[in-house]
Amino acid sequence: MVNKQNWLNVINIDSVYSSDKQRQAFSLFTMIGIAIVVITLLVFLNYSVYSPILTVALVIVNFTIISCAIYFIKTGKLEIVALISMIIVFIMCIALTYTGGKENTALYWLMFYPVVTFASLGVRLGCWLGLSLLLCCIALLYGPNFGQVSYGDVEKTRFIASFSLVFLFSFIGEYFRHKSHLAIADITLEQKQDAYTDPLTGVANRRFITSHFLKLAQTRPEQYLPFSILLIDLDNFKSLNDTYGHDFGDTVLIEFTKLLESQFSTSALKSRYGGEEFVVILPKLKSAEATLLADDFRECVAKYLMITNDNKKVTITCSIGVAQVNEVEGYSNGLKEADEFLYRAKAFGRNKVISINN
């Protein structure tokens, strides 16, 4: 539910994160596409040359990578697919290093691994897998003989040096890209939150309701529908401004917002709709119940005492129109109905709550 503590958290920057996901997905599936083509050609052209263990490993890798791609298309779980795919390729790289491939050229194929791993999995997992592959290769190239092929000393040294450099610069590139992405995301989120926050009272503004709350209610109707709208207007606010000054008027709005926060539950969305007008949305509450809560709030406001700068005691009142919304598409009509009820409350002498129930 949206409340004082987390209504800002409803504001998202999906466009920023989705762009990064697209980059990861594009990197991963470019690698998958190339891997499928290359592995298929290698097996088809060299099955008579490769050792049986390498041929079987390459075939299994091909089928598994294809399965991962299908799984992603059905579920959209990029992180899981990327991790599984890169672990599979990791195993294939070990098998290549162990068997040597065709004419002991296997080591050349390993150079792409750090680049794709960092691009598709990010800094942390990319670092772990890249380092693990480097250490495994060092163990196979310089460790005890477990039946693996033999490489020349110069070839081994150059491979380790080249792979280490590719890993290092891939790490540097992804680390600072990630930091830049987070900085941009923070700035974007802060700007977006500012755009949907009333600067004086700190509550949501009317734009937040249409841009975020209604979308949330649309996707999670079981948590929000039906909901009631309370359209609240401070009575004689212009007179307060004219009599005691605009600074006192701002103080009244701030204090009134505090009353909204204290008197309505944390599940309610409180919003300054403009000027001295506020909207409170009460999820999962019908008009009859909302009318009772609105009347309790009206009485609370009427009893609230404010002190001006010259120590004069001032009381304020409010008028409230209440309407019920059963479907998200009916929000505009519900707001219009609440506005009509508010107009009646003003016409009947102010300091009243009007709804279809009274």
Side-chain angles (χ1 to χ4, degrees):
M1 291 287 188
V2 176
N3 57 41
K4 181 182 178 183
Q5 286 72 36
N6 67 19
W7 73 266
L8 281 173
N9 294 337
V10 176
I11 298 174
N12 61 64
I13 47 172
D14 288 343
S15 58
V16 175
Y17 292 114
S18 63
S19 296
D20 197 52
K21 292 294 182 186
Q22 289 173 6
R23 178 196 61 82
Q24 287 181 294
F26 185 78
S27 299
L28 177 65
F29 281 91
T30 299
M31 184 277 296
I32 287 177
I34 293 173
I36 291 172
V37 173
V38 170
I39 291 173
T40 301
L41 288 174
L42 287 175
V43 171
F44 181 75
L45 297 174
N46 301 294
Y47 67 91
S48 59
V49 179
Y50 287 162
S51 64
I53 186 173
L54 180 57
T55 301
V56 171
L58 290 175
V59 171
I60 292 174
V61 165
N62 233 9
F63 279 109
T64 310
I65 288 178
I66 293 171
S67 300
C68 286
I70 295 171
Y71 179 76
F72 172 76
I73 292 170
K74 289 185 175 181
T75 66
K77 296 180 178 179
L78 178 62
E79 292 81 3
I80 295 175
V81 171
L83 182 59
I84 293 174
S85 299
M86 295 316 298
I87 289 175
I88 292 168
V89 176
F90 178 95
I91 296 170
M92 182 189 74
C93 290
I94 297 299
L96 278 170
T97 306
Y98 182 87
T99 60
K102 186 178 181 181
E103 298 177 358
N104 280 17
T105 57
L107 297 180
Y108 295 111
W109 292 103
L110 274 61
M111 290 301 178
F112 79 97
Y113 190 78
V115 178
V116 178
T117 306
F118 278 116
S120 58
L121 288 175
V123 176
R124 186 173 62 87
L125 289 174
C127 194
W128 276 109
L129 285 176
L131 277 177
S132 297
L133 182 58
L134 178 60
L135 293 175
C136 288
C137 287
I138 291 174
L140 283 173
L141 295 175
Y142 294 99
N145 190 332
F146 297 107
Q148 67 268 37
V149 299
S150 177
Y151 298 92
D153 290 337
V154 174
E155 188 178 8
K156 291 190 290 186
T157 304
R158 287 179 177 176
F159 164 73
I160 296 299
S162 300
F163 189 93
S164 299
L165 286 174
V166 173
F167 173 83
L168 176 63
F169 284 100
S170 298
F171 170 80
I172 292 172
E174 178 60 22
Y175 176 78
F176 285 102
R177 187 212 60 79
H178 181 65
K179 286 194 68 174
S180 299
H181 172 75
L182 292 180
I184 292 170
D186 287 342
I187 292 170
T188 304
L189 181 59
E190 185 177 352
Q191 290 176 339
K192 218 170 181 186
Q193 288 178 338
D194 287 344
Y196 295 119
T197 302
D198 177 62
L200 177 64
T201 62
V203 295
N205 58 25
R206 64 191 299 174
R207 199 183 310 159
F208 172 80
I209 297 174
T210 54
S211 297
H212 289 278
F213 176 80
L214 294 182
K215 291 179 181 178
L216 193 63
Q218 185 79 57
T219 56
R220 304 176 191 174
E222 72 283 353
Q223 293 185 23
Y224 293 95
L225 295 175
F227 61 78
S228 290
I229 301 173
L230 275 58
L231 189 58
I232 309 171
D233 190 83
L234 283 167
D235 297 327
N236 301 309
F237 184 73
K238 184 178 184 302
S239 177
L240 284 174
N241 264 335
D242 294 342
T243 304
Y244 302 106
H246 290 284
D247 287 344
F248 181 72
D250 288 347
T251 301
V252 169
L253 293 173
I254 293 170
E255 291 300 314
F256 184 77
T257 302
K258 291 179 181 177
L259 286 175
L260 286 175
E261 296 286 10
S262 64
Q263 296 303 310
F264 289 102
S265 69
T266 55
S267 64
L269 171 63
K270 302 92 177 177
S271 168
R272 185 182 177 193
Y273 209 65
E276 67 273 22
E277 205 167 52
F278 291 80
V279 168
V280 175
I281 295 178
L282 302 172
K284 302 297 290 183
L285 215 59
K286 295 185 177 180
S287 177
E289 301 167 282
T291 301
L292 294 176
L293 288 178
D295 202 52
D296 289 342
F297 177 72
R298 178 195 61 77
E299 291 180 358
C300 174
V301 172
K303 294 175 183 177
Y304 191 75
L305 194 64
M306 297 194 64
I307 308 297
T308 65
N309 291 333
D310 52 1
N311 292 320
K312 291 182 180 179
K313 296 178 180 179
V314 177
T315 57
I316 57 174
T317 60
C318 65
S319 301
I320 306 174
V322 182
Q324 180 177 317
V325 175
N326 297 315
E327 302 291 337
V328 172
E329 293 78 7
Y331 171 76
S332 295
N333 290 333
L335 188 64
K336 188 182 296 184
E337 185 180 23
D339 189 49
E340 291 172 358
F341 288 144
L342 174 61
Y343 181 80
R344 288 190 203 175
K346 293 285 189 181
F348 291 161
R350 300 183 177 87
N351 193 26
K352 290 184 177 3
V353 175
I354 302 293
S355 71
I356 199 171
N357 305 101
N358 57 13

